[in-house]
Amino acid sequence: MSHELVRARAPLRLGFGGGGTDVSPYCDEYGGVVLNAAIDLFAHVSVQKRDDDQVLLVAADRDQSWQAPANAPLPTDEPLRLLKGVYNRFMADYAGGVAIPLTMVSYADCPPGSGLGSSSALVVAMVEAMRRFMGLEMDAHAIARLAFDIERRELGLAGGAQDHYAAAFGGLNMMHFMADCRASVEPVPSADHVMKELEASLVLYFTGVSRESAAIIDEQRANMKSHSTRPLEGLHALKAGAFEMRDALLAGDVPSFGALLDAGWSSKKKLAHNISSSDIDKVYDAAKAFGVFGGKVSGAGGGGFMMFLVDPTQREGLKRLLSTFGGTAQAARFTNVGAESWIVR
């Protein structure tokens, strides 16, 4: 039974350690481990039943729309491949292949290509919205797995799985990724005062450069398949660093956690040639000279958001410094809430 109007949201994430080890074939051969945390920026989706025979899909933050008579399946070419892919899967699996007329509107609290996992969070939010709209029961694991399956397998968009699980579960988690895309999520019981200190130390800097992660991830996968030594060593180091970062948080040692972010960034740059750039290096070097504990580029690299940890009393000074490079600096807060939806009555 469908509802008239449903809204949903799913949080974006900061990847602290192990990013890239959740991508096949590394996770298939060695097992991937990622430490990440959901933040209070969200992907948003609304789904509303229509009285005509149309399907209207809208990406409000990209000013893109697509409309056609309701058919199943919809063509999964651009624009709005993600929205079409989610619609098709729900019509095939839960509506008996019958196309339901509806309007679906999506937007995120950050620019596309931000490195905060917004594309996957949008898919998770769409899955949660459609689940609620069609009156289905799914737990967080099922939502994350279905979103991953639609984005990575059916639509063929390159990437790993950490973003889907972060968006579905929320919170600070160690995630383990195995062959056949199996995953487990282990909440990290870091003390509340430690998370508040981490939050007070955190600065996000948007470079102003959005990038498509697929090319970077494709190069990483090609390097893995050829068993290139340098990228493989980098992935092993990132995986080991995720455990060390978890231990630093459990010990309440935010400066050491920052230093591990710095070491992880050095390992990350071994995975593909375009993960960093001269502009990113200039910003990073200036932040290091300022006195940050450490930092990295969020996500696959190449642009988007950078994150830094600094003594909280120096955070405003760091934000002023970063703003001189032409981007925008901001604080961020963590959230323990994963994907959620509600009915508008």
Side-chain angles (χ1 to χ4, degrees):
M1 179 179 176
S2 65
H3 300 288
E4 291 296 314
L5 174 59
V6 166
R7 301 199 203 280
R9 68 179 190 176
L12 311 186
R13 61 96 187 100
L14 291 177
F16 293 132
T21 69
D22 58 322
V23 178
S24 180
Y26 184 88
C27 60
D28 303 327
E29 295 185 31
Y30 302 100
V33 177
V34 173
L35 176 70
N36 66 27
I39 57 175
D40 66 344
L41 297 173
F42 296 88
H44 305 265
V45 174
S46 295
V47 177
Q48 186 165 22
K49 192 173 183 180
R50 295 179 66 96
D51 295 328
D52 55 19
D53 67 344
Q54 299 287 298
V55 171
L56 172 61
L57 306 176
V58 180
D61 49 355
R62 297 190 181 208
D63 196 24
Q64 293 181 333
S65 63
W66 183 91
Q67 184 170 354
N71 283 301
L74 303 177
T76 54
D77 54 351
E78 292 292 359
L80 308 184
R81 289 183 68 194
L82 293 177
L83 282 74
K84 293 173 182 175
V86 172
Y87 179 88
N88 286 347
R89 181 63 175 266
F90 273 84
M91 295 307 103
D93 287 5
Y94 305 109
V98 177
I100 299 173
L102 56 79
T103 296
M104 183 187 297
V105 180
S106 71
Y107 63 95
D109 292 337
C110 69
S114 64
L116 301 179
S118 59
S119 294
S120 300
L122 275 169
V123 179
V124 169
M126 283 186 269
V127 168
E128 172 62 20
M130 289 299 298
R131 176 201 71 77
R132 174 79 66 171
F133 180 75
M134 298 183 72
L136 306 169
E137 294 293 331
M138 293 183 192
D139 64 13
H141 266 289
I143 290 168
R145 181 64 183 258
L146 179 55
F148 172 86
D149 203 45
I150 293 169
E151 184 176 9
R152 303 294 183 225
R153 290 178 164 174
E154 294 185 2
L155 297 177
L157 299 173
Q162 67 154 312
D163 299 349
H164 307 88
Y165 285 87
F169 280 83
L172 173 69
N173 298 292
M174 283 287 282
M175 300 180 177
H176 301 262
F177 299 96
M178 297 146 279
D180 192 34
C181 303
R182 290 176 294 122
S184 65
V185 178
E186 173 192 335
V188 177
S190 184
D192 182 62
H193 74 273
V194 176
M195 295 307 294
K196 284 184 168 60
E197 181 69 9
L198 184 64
E199 197 172 80
S201 305
L202 179 66
V203 174
L204 297 185
Y205 173 72
F206 182 59
T207 62
V209 178
S210 297
R211 85 287 175 273
E212 292 292 338
S213 61
I216 297 171
I217 293 168
D218 285 342
E219 182 182 346
Q220 175 188 320
R221 294 179 68 177
N223 289 336
M224 257 298 300
K225 289 177 180 177
S226 67
H227 292 88
S228 299
T229 302
R230 180 178 164 88
L232 187 57
E233 288 176 347
L235 286 164
H236 287 334
L238 286 167
K239 180 178 171 181
F243 289 103
E244 293 178 303
M245 289 180 189
R246 177 199 61 188
D247 293 344
L249 287 180
L250 292 177
D253 192 343
V254 173
S256 291
F257 183 84
L260 289 165
L261 277 183
D262 183 62
W265 175 235
S266 296
S267 298
K268 183 82 172 178
K269 289 187 286 187
K270 296 179 180 179
L271 305 187
H273 79 280
N274 54 354
I275 282 177
S276 191
S277 68
S278 59
D279 288 339
I280 289 172
D281 289 341
K282 287 177 184 176
V283 174
Y284 199 87
D285 290 345
K288 287 295 293 292
F290 180 84
V292 300
F293 302 141
K296 66 188 289 285
V297 172
S298 185
F305 275 90
M306 304 174 73
M307 72 176 91
F308 298 99
L309 291 178
V310 69
D311 185 298
T313 63
Q314 300 299 314
R315 189 167 70 168
E316 293 307 306
L318 176 61
K319 287 164 65 177
R320 285 193 295 271
L321 169 68
L322 294 173
S323 67
T324 65
F325 288 91
T328 55
Q330 65 186 76
R333 301 181 67 179
F334 301 116
T335 179
N336 290 317
V337 178
E340 55 186 350
S341 60
W342 59 97
I343 299 166
V344 179
R345 302 199 182 274

